[in-house]
Amino acid sequence: MRRTWIAPAVLGIALSVAAPAGAAVTPRWHRYQVPVEGKANLVGVAAVARDDAWAAGFLVKISGSAARRAKALTCFGQNAFPSLMLRWNGHTWRQVQVPNVGRINYLSASSSTDVWASADCGLLHWDGHQWTQVSYATMPAQQNSQGDIKTLGAKDAWLVGGTYDNRTQVSRGFVQRWDGRQWHIVRLPALGDDFSLDSIDVRSPRDVWAVGTDYTGNTSHAEPLVLLHWNGRSWKRLPSPPTGEQTNRLSKVGAFAANDVWIAGWGKTKPDWDQPRRPLMLHWNGRRWSSAPTPAGPGELYDVARDRRTLLATGDTFSPANPSFTMYALRWTGSHWTPGPVPATGPGSVSALAPIPGGGMWGVGAVGDNNPYPVIARLG
């Protein structure tokens, strides 16, 4: 899940930030005014058209130290982190009222009448007129939480999430599918007793990827990845490539073609809490998964997206041993990953990306540490 961190905001409205010196020429980021008062973070974005996009996240109603102690997958923080939703009309971003389901972590849209939001405390759906809360299928465990979501249309959407059993202390991921009326559990292959499913992407009803991590014995050996593909009838687990890390966390899968799928995340060489976190990129070429080398240095990646010109992965440089972090981006040159442009300097994070129909890309996140200010920027 994306960071809920919260140094004074480093903010410039209508700011353009060029690519770093020495990088190949790329489009520039253009910052937009965000109509939000007080502390907030944006962690989800989706674009339906050039004049229709959504950005979502949460307001921060408690202090920084208390926010860091808030647990990610519970709803006790619903009032501390009330839902935040914004909409782009082609000229300005405006705040839209939604039911309070806590932090909205993921957005997906197939049209102006079909938008889903996945939050700590529930799911929301936009039908073109209003946002309503929708129940997902209850899982057989004491604690359920919903995560990444992807919609293909009004009658086909996919959701990943997780369960935790207090009695057995077992965590498992799940997949659910929307049929236009309700959510249904999609049966998974045998994956063991301690695994997550952290992201999902859908190209068609017969081409779905769901990815996560197998935590079994992760203090003694490298964590295997859970890489699942749906062919329209059943799931197949693909072999996990070596990453060079012991800890492997997968944040986002982006399926751009049948032979071009990327996963962004981060890893650590040891499971110790204070170990530096390094960017992790994986690629599917239609035959197998492999690790893609990334520049040396710290980095966590939360999203990966492609428009007509740019393949970009973004996140921040957070490390528990060095809590001062900045926005972080990697750009694919066609042969390797290189540092990419970011919307702002100073403390901050770029949490989510969305390609814009016709070209360009939205990026959202926040600047600041203890006093986060939301960022919305357009690349290209």
Side-chain angles (χ1 to χ4, degrees):
M1 181 165 292
R2 299 175 180 93
R3 186 169 326 290
T4 58
W5 49 267
I6 55 167
V10 182
L11 177 64
I13 303 301
L15 174 70
S16 297
V17 180
V25 176
T26 61
R28 297 187 300 174
W29 286 105
H30 302 271
R31 292 270 295 279
Y32 288 81
Q33 186 170 4
V34 183
V36 175
E37 295 183 2
K39 297 181 288 188
N41 195 352
L42 293 170
V43 293
V45 63
V48 175
R50 297 198 69 81
D51 59 354
D52 189 3
W54 297 87
F58 54 94
L59 302 171
V60 179
K61 297 297 187 181
I62 59 177
S63 67
S65 59
R68 291 190 183 93
R69 291 193 297 268
K71 295 182 180 179
L73 298 179
T74 62
C75 290
F76 78 89
Q78 190 167 355
N79 293 325
F81 303 116
S83 304
L84 173 62
M85 184 70 72
L86 302 167
R87 191 175 190 183
W88 170 252
N89 62 11
H91 302 285
T92 59
W93 285 92
R94 299 183 183 277
Q95 191 166 343
V96 176
Q97 294 301 311
V98 295
N100 182 17
V101 287
R103 299 177 306 174
I104 299 175
N105 301 303
Y106 301 94
L107 280 177
S108 181
S110 70
S111 70
S112 60
T113 60
D114 178 46
V115 187
W116 285 94
S118 175
D120 281 354
C121 306
L123 299 177
L124 298 176
H125 184 255
W126 171 260
D127 62 4
H129 302 285
Q130 63 181 346
W131 285 97
T132 56
Q133 190 164 356
V134 179
S135 299
Y136 63 99
T138 302
M139 301 296 296
Q142 284 90 347
Q143 298 181 32
N144 300 168
S145 61
Q146 56 285 333
D148 197 9
I149 195 166
K150 178 70 174 186
T151 177
L152 284 178
K155 296 183 179 181
D156 195 6
W158 295 72
L159 171 74
V160 291
T163 67
Y164 180 74
D165 192 315
N166 292 320
R167 295 167 300 183
T168 61
Q169 297 185 329
V170 167
S171 299
R172 294 189 178 97
F174 66 75
V175 177
Q176 297 192 15
R177 191 175 187 181
W178 172 256
D179 66 2
R181 296 183 301 172
Q182 60 184 347
W183 288 94
H184 301 272
I185 298 169
V186 181
R187 185 176 179 179
L188 294 172
L191 297 172
D193 284 339
D194 199 6
F195 69 93
S196 67
L197 290 175
D198 302 305
S199 183
I200 191 165
D201 201 10
V202 186
R203 293 186 63 247
S204 77
R206 295 177 297 279
D207 190 3
V208 182
W209 287 97
V211 303
T213 301
D214 182 344
Y215 302 128
T216 307
N218 61 355
T219 59
S220 59
H221 59 72
E223 295 174 336
L225 306 178
V226 179
L227 307 173
L228 301 178
H229 184 259
W230 173 264
N231 63 7
R233 300 179 303 275
S234 61
W235 293 101
K236 179 181 180 180
R237 184 175 183 178
L238 280 299
S240 173
T243 65
E245 311 287 0
Q246 181 167 344
T247 297
N248 294 291
R249 297 291 180 266
L250 305 184
S251 303
K252 196 70 174 181
V253 56
F256 308 119
N259 61 352
D260 188 25
V261 184
W262 289 91
I263 298 174
W266 56 271
K268 299 187 297 184
T269 57
K270 298 179 181 179
D272 304 33
W273 176 83
D274 59 352
Q275 284 293 302
R277 303 177 180 192
R278 306 190 297 190
L280 189 67
M281 294 298 303
L282 304 167
H283 184 244
W284 169 257
N285 64 4
R287 300 181 303 276
R288 65 184 182 89
W289 282 98
S290 61
S291 297
T294 57
E300 290 183 315
L301 295 171
Y302 304 138
D303 206 352
V304 58
R306 182 195 289 278
D307 66 6
R308 293 186 301 179
R309 299 178 58 183
T310 307
L311 175 60
L312 195 70
T314 57
D316 59 43
T317 61
F318 173 82
S319 177
N322 183 19
S324 177
F325 55 92
T326 61
M327 290 181 173
Y328 183 75
L330 295 177
R331 181 178 59 84
W332 179 248
T333 67
S335 61
H336 63 277
W337 289 97
T338 188
V342 294
T345 58
S349 179
V350 184
S351 298
L353 301 167
I356 302 170
M361 193 180 302
W362 288 110
V364 300
V367 290
D369 188 2
N370 294 314
N371 300 291
Y373 190 95
V375 168
I376 300 177
R378 178 174 58 83
L379 187 68

